[in-house]
Amino acid sequence: MIELRTLAEIEQMRAAGRFVASVLEATAAASIVGKNLIALDKLAHDMIRKAGAESCYIDYHPSFGASPFGKVLCTSVNDAALHGLPHDYTLRDGDLVSLDFAASVNGWVADSAISFVVGTAAPEDTALIDTTSRALDAGIAAATVGNRVGDISAAIGAVAHADGYSVNVDFGGHGVGRTMHGDPHIPNDGRPGRGLPLRAGLVFAIEPWLMIGTDRIFTDPDGWTLRSEDGSRAAHAEHTVAITENGPIVLTARR
């Protein structure tokens, strides 16, 4: 079901957005050579506990997950594109890391992701992250009253294709509110002028993710982590966005 939020409710959602942004800032800053993924998850868990927030991941068990996720932070490294399950891995120089985090504060959810390289960055990784970030910006810019979901999808896809990347549409953006995943689904490629009309009060996560050499993925033996089929690296960028008559508001904007 698609729900419209009042301006007052959108204001209430800002606390969740600020908290999610702060956790991503802290975990990204802590992602240095020698840091273990389990330690990053613990840092996020400690911040949740201190803030009195609730994790959207730890008990999450959709049809595509082998079991409840069991952690509070998605840590996808190198060829891991999405849903990276934190495990005993120590970050190395040159690792491409994507962190994805969602939490509920006072009953409202926000969801966001960021990608970066630990230590020395290869040019192709920098280019991938830049394209993914610009695709997110293009999608947000298209999230205006009078447009349609297809306009967001087309804007994301146009940036990706212009830089030579193919796009997987199996996973994409989604409604956000009292729960983490709701309608509408927002593919990362599509045709403009198609799909749900965008109205003030819609709140959703926009989340392009791209891989260097393919648009195909497979599920890791851990039952959660989605990896590129050819082993090439991946990047992921995401913000929770509210549509208003005065334009989109990025609720998870980082400093």
Side-chain angles (χ1 to χ4, degrees):
M1 182 175 67
I2 295 172
E3 298 182 89
L4 299 179
R5 305 300 177 187
T6 66
L7 284 175
E9 288 175 325
I10 291 171
E11 284 300 311
Q12 292 171 17
M13 296 182 76
R14 287 184 184 272
R18 287 193 297 267
F19 176 67
V20 166
S22 71
V23 171
L24 285 179
E25 288 169 346
T27 51
S31 297
I32 59 175
V33 174
K35 195 74 168 184
N36 194 282
L37 299 184
I38 296 296
L40 294 178
D41 184 73
K42 182 180 183 301
L43 172 58
H45 208 148
D46 289 345
M47 292 181 72
I48 289 171
R49 188 179 300 109
K50 183 176 180 180
E54 295 183 12
S55 169
C56 292
Y57 291 167
I58 196 162
D59 295 323
Y60 186 51
H61 190 187
S63 59
F64 58 81
S67 61
F69 190 72
K71 304 294 182 182
V72 301
L73 180 70
C74 289
T75 55
S76 302
V77 181
N78 295 332
D79 65 325
L82 296 172
H83 309 158
L85 186 64
H87 60 285
D88 184 16
Y89 176 83
T90 299
L91 292 174
R92 304 167 184 170
D93 185 56
D95 278 344
L96 198 169
V97 179
S98 298
L99 302 178
D100 189 357
F101 181 72
S104 174
V105 176
N106 299 324
W108 294 106
V109 170
D111 189 3
S112 187
I114 185 174
S115 292
F116 52 89
V117 175
V118 175
T120 308
E124 57 268 28
D125 291 344
T126 300
L128 174 67
I129 292 169
D130 177 69
T131 299
T132 308
S133 178
R134 286 188 291 105
L136 174 59
D137 290 342
I140 293 170
T144 58
V145 174
N147 275 354
R148 291 177 176 266
V149 164
D151 294 303
I152 299 175
S153 301
I156 292 169
V159 173
H161 294 309
D163 286 357
Y165 299 100
S166 55
V167 180
N168 180 295
V169 295
D170 292 339
F171 294 90
H174 51 87
V176 175
R178 293 293 188 180
T179 60
M180 177 171 59
H181 286 150
D183 294 326
H185 172 63
I186 305 175
N188 286 323
D189 199 8
R191 297 176 62 182
R194 301 295 184 93
L196 179 78
L198 301 182
R199 298 169 58 189
L202 283 171
V203 181
F204 40 62
I206 300 174
E207 53 175 320
W209 56 282
L210 300 171
M211 299 172 286
I212 288 177
T214 184
D215 61 3
R216 300 178 65 87
I217 54 177
F218 71 93
T219 304
D220 190 84
D222 66 16
W224 272 100
T225 304
L226 298 178
R227 297 187 182 276
S228 63
E229 187 177 73
D230 64 355
S232 61
R233 294 188 170 203
H236 181 198
E238 178 182 18
H239 274 310
T240 296
V241 179
I243 293 181
T244 75
E245 295 289 354
N246 296 320
I249 297 174
V250 179
L251 297 173
T252 49
R254 294 179 291 273
R255 289 175 295 178

